[in-house]
Amino acid sequence: MSQILDDIDKAILNLLQDDATLPLKTVAEQVHVSIATAQRRIQALISNGVITKQVAIVDPNKVGYGLTAVVMIEMARSNTSMQHRFERLMNTQPQVMSCYEVSGDADFMLMVNAKNMSDYHRFTTGLLTYENNVRNFKSQFVMNFTKSGTKILLD
Protein backbone atom coordinates (compact mmCIF):
# COMPACT_ATOMS: atom_id res chain seq x y z
CA MET A 1 0.00 0.00 0.00
CA SER A 2 1.46 3.30 -1.09
CA GLN A 3 1.27 6.33 1.16
CA ILE A 4 0.27 9.68 -0.33
CA LEU A 5 3.29 11.96 -0.13
CA ASP A 6 3.11 15.67 -0.82
CA ASP A 7 5.90 17.74 -2.37
CA ILE A 8 7.41 18.59 1.04
CA ASP A 9 7.59 14.92 2.06
CA LYS A 10 9.20 14.03 -1.30
CA ALA A 11 11.74 16.85 -0.97
CA ILE A 12 12.64 15.73 2.56
CA LEU A 13 13.02 12.12 1.41
CA ASN A 14 15.21 13.10 -1.55
CA LEU A 15 17.51 15.06 0.79
CA LEU A 16 17.71 12.36 3.45
CA GLN A 17 18.38 9.63 0.88
CA ASP A 18 21.45 11.56 -0.21
CA ASP A 19 22.61 12.30 3.34
CA ALA A 20 20.66 11.12 6.39
CA THR A 21 23.04 13.05 8.65
CA LEU A 22 21.89 16.46 7.44
CA PRO A 23 21.08 18.73 10.37
CA LEU A 24 17.37 19.33 10.87
CA LYS A 25 17.93 23.05 10.30
CA THR A 26 19.46 22.36 6.87
CA VAL A 27 16.58 20.07 5.88
CA ALA A 28 14.05 22.69 6.95
CA GLU A 29 15.85 25.43 5.00
CA GLN A 30 16.16 23.30 1.87
CA VAL A 31 12.44 22.43 1.78
CA HIS A 32 11.29 25.88 2.97
CA VAL A 33 9.54 24.86 6.20
CA SER A 34 10.15 25.51 9.88
CA ILE A 35 12.44 23.22 11.88
CA ALA A 36 9.42 22.00 13.88
CA THR A 37 7.54 21.13 10.67
CA ALA A 38 10.55 19.30 9.23
CA GLN A 39 10.98 17.34 12.47
CA ARG A 40 7.28 16.46 12.59
CA ARG A 41 7.31 15.37 8.93
CA ILE A 42 10.41 13.20 9.37
CA GLN A 43 8.93 11.56 12.48
CA ALA A 44 5.69 10.84 10.59
CA LEU A 45 7.67 9.30 7.71
CA ILE A 46 9.44 7.06 10.21
CA SER A 47 6.25 6.18 12.12
CA ASN A 48 4.41 5.32 8.89
CA GLY A 49 7.23 3.05 7.72
CA VAL A 50 8.20 5.19 4.73
CA ILE A 51 11.69 5.64 6.22
CA THR A 52 12.66 2.15 7.34
CA LYS A 53 16.33 2.69 8.27
CA GLN A 54 19.01 5.32 8.42
CA VAL A 55 22.36 3.74 7.63
CA ALA A 56 25.91 4.39 6.49
CA ILE A 57 26.80 2.84 3.14
CA VAL A 58 30.28 1.31 3.28
CA ASP A 59 32.61 0.58 0.37
CA PRO A 60 33.06 -3.22 0.63
CA ASN A 61 36.56 -3.11 -0.86
CA LYS A 62 37.78 -0.68 1.78
CA VAL A 63 36.64 -2.93 4.64
CA GLY A 64 38.05 -6.20 3.31
CA TYR A 65 35.03 -7.58 1.43
CA GLY A 66 36.44 -7.61 -2.09
CA LEU A 67 34.10 -10.21 -3.56
CA THR A 68 30.48 -9.39 -4.41
CA ALA A 69 28.26 -12.01 -5.99
CA VAL A 70 24.79 -11.98 -7.51
CA VAL A 71 23.37 -15.40 -6.70
CA MET A 72 20.31 -16.86 -8.41
CA ILE A 73 18.58 -19.50 -6.28
CA GLU A 74 16.27 -22.25 -7.52
CA MET A 75 14.28 -23.85 -4.71
CA ALA A 76 13.83 -27.62 -4.52
CA ARG A 77 10.21 -27.39 -3.37
CA SER A 78 7.96 -24.46 -4.09
CA ASN A 79 5.78 -24.05 -1.08
CA THR A 80 5.17 -21.00 1.05
CA SER A 81 6.49 -22.38 4.33
CA MET A 82 9.79 -23.51 2.78
CA GLN A 83 10.22 -20.17 1.03
CA HIS A 84 9.55 -18.26 4.26
CA ARG A 85 12.03 -20.51 6.07
CA PHE A 86 14.67 -19.67 3.42
CA GLU A 87 13.89 -15.93 3.70
CA ARG A 88 14.26 -16.04 7.49
CA LEU A 89 17.59 -17.87 7.13
CA MET A 90 18.91 -15.30 4.63
CA ASN A 91 17.81 -12.45 6.94
CA THR A 92 20.14 -13.83 9.63
CA GLN A 93 23.19 -13.97 7.35
CA PRO A 94 25.43 -10.90 7.59
CA GLN A 95 27.03 -11.61 4.20
CA VAL A 96 23.65 -11.38 2.45
CA MET A 97 23.18 -7.74 1.55
CA SER A 98 19.86 -8.26 -0.25
CA CYS A 99 17.43 -11.12 -0.76
CA TYR A 100 14.71 -10.77 -3.38
CA GLU A 101 11.99 -13.19 -4.39
CA VAL A 102 12.00 -12.94 -8.19
CA SER A 103 10.05 -14.13 -11.21
CA GLY A 104 11.48 -16.27 -14.00
CA ASP A 105 13.71 -19.33 -13.80
CA ALA A 106 15.04 -18.51 -10.33
CA ASP A 107 13.04 -18.15 -7.13
CA PHE A 108 15.39 -15.80 -5.26
CA MET A 109 18.23 -13.42 -6.05
CA LEU A 110 20.87 -12.65 -3.43
CA MET A 111 23.55 -9.99 -3.27
CA VAL A 112 26.36 -11.47 -1.21
CA ASN A 113 29.58 -9.84 -0.02
CA ALA A 114 32.51 -12.03 0.92
CA LYS A 115 36.12 -11.42 1.90
CA ASN A 116 37.43 -13.72 -0.84
CA MET A 117 36.56 -16.87 -2.77
CA SER A 118 37.23 -19.16 0.20
CA ASP A 119 34.86 -17.10 2.33
CA TYR A 120 32.22 -17.25 -0.42
CA HIS A 121 32.73 -21.00 -0.78
CA ARG A 122 32.09 -21.49 2.95
CA PHE A 123 28.87 -19.46 2.58
CA THR A 124 27.60 -21.55 -0.34
CA THR A 125 28.54 -24.95 1.06
CA GLY A 126 27.10 -24.10 4.46
CA LEU A 127 23.84 -22.48 3.41
CA LEU A 128 22.93 -23.08 -0.22
CA THR A 129 22.17 -26.72 0.33
CA TYR A 130 19.31 -29.15 -0.19
CA GLU A 131 18.75 -29.06 3.59
CA ASN A 132 17.76 -25.40 3.10
CA ASN A 133 15.53 -26.28 0.13
CA VAL A 134 18.05 -25.10 -2.49
CA ARG A 135 18.00 -27.25 -5.63
CA ASN A 136 20.47 -25.18 -7.58
CA PHE A 137 22.24 -21.83 -7.50
CA LYS A 138 24.21 -19.81 -10.02
CA SER A 139 26.77 -17.20 -9.03
CA GLN A 140 27.80 -14.18 -11.04
CA PHE A 141 30.65 -12.12 -9.66
CA VAL A 142 30.70 -8.34 -9.78
CA MET A 143 33.72 -7.16 -11.73
CA ASN A 144 33.19 -3.42 -11.17
CA PHE A 145 30.65 -1.17 -9.47
CA THR A 146 29.48 1.30 -12.09
CA LYS A 147 26.60 2.40 -9.89
CA SER A 148 25.54 1.14 -6.50
CA GLY A 149 22.91 2.97 -4.56
CA THR A 150 19.70 2.89 -2.64
CA LYS A 151 18.04 6.16 -3.62
CA ILE A 152 14.51 6.21 -5.03
CA LEU A 153 14.16 9.62 -6.70
CA LEU A 154 10.80 11.13 -5.80
CA ASP A 155 9.36 13.85 -8.01
Side-chain angles (χ1 to χ4, degrees), residues 130-141:
Y130 192 76
E131 294 159 352
N132 291 321
N133 196 33
V134 175
R135 173 182 299 156
N136 188 25
F137 70 92
K138 294 181 180 161
S139 304
Q140 294 183 311
F141 298 97

Side-chain angles (χ1 to χ4, degrees), residues 10-52:
K10 291 175 185 177
I12 289 170
L13 289 169
N14 283 332
L15 285 171
L16 293 180
Q17 286 183 93
D18 284 332
D19 184 358
T21 66
L22 282 175
L24 200 51
K25 180 180 181 201
T26 304
V27 173
E29 288 171 355
Q30 293 282 323
V31 300
H32 310 292
V33 297
S34 70
I35 293 173
T37 298
Q39 184 175 29
R40 193 169 46 253
R41 293 282 190 124
I42 292 168
Q43 188 54 53
L45 291 165
I46 293 168
S47 297
N48 293 329
V50 176
I51 296 175
T52 58

Side-chain angles (χ1 to χ4, degrees), residues 68-76 83 86 90 96 98-112 120 123-124 127-129 132-142:
T68 301
V70 178
V71 187
M72 304 306 289
I73 307 287
E74 182 185 344
M75 305 305 285
Q83 285 183 314
F86 182 79
M90 291 302 105
V96 176
S98 303
C99 176
Y100 302 99
E101 184 178 0
V102 296
S103 62
D105 295 335
D107 296 300
F108 289 94
M109 181 185 89
L110 308 177
M111 289 293 293
V112 177
Y120 180 72
F123 170 80
T124 61
L127 294 168
L128 303 184
T129 64
N132 291 321
N133 196 33
V134 175
R135 173 182 299 156
N136 188 25
F137 70 92
K138 294 181 180 161
S139 304
Q140 294 183 311
F141 298 97
V142 174

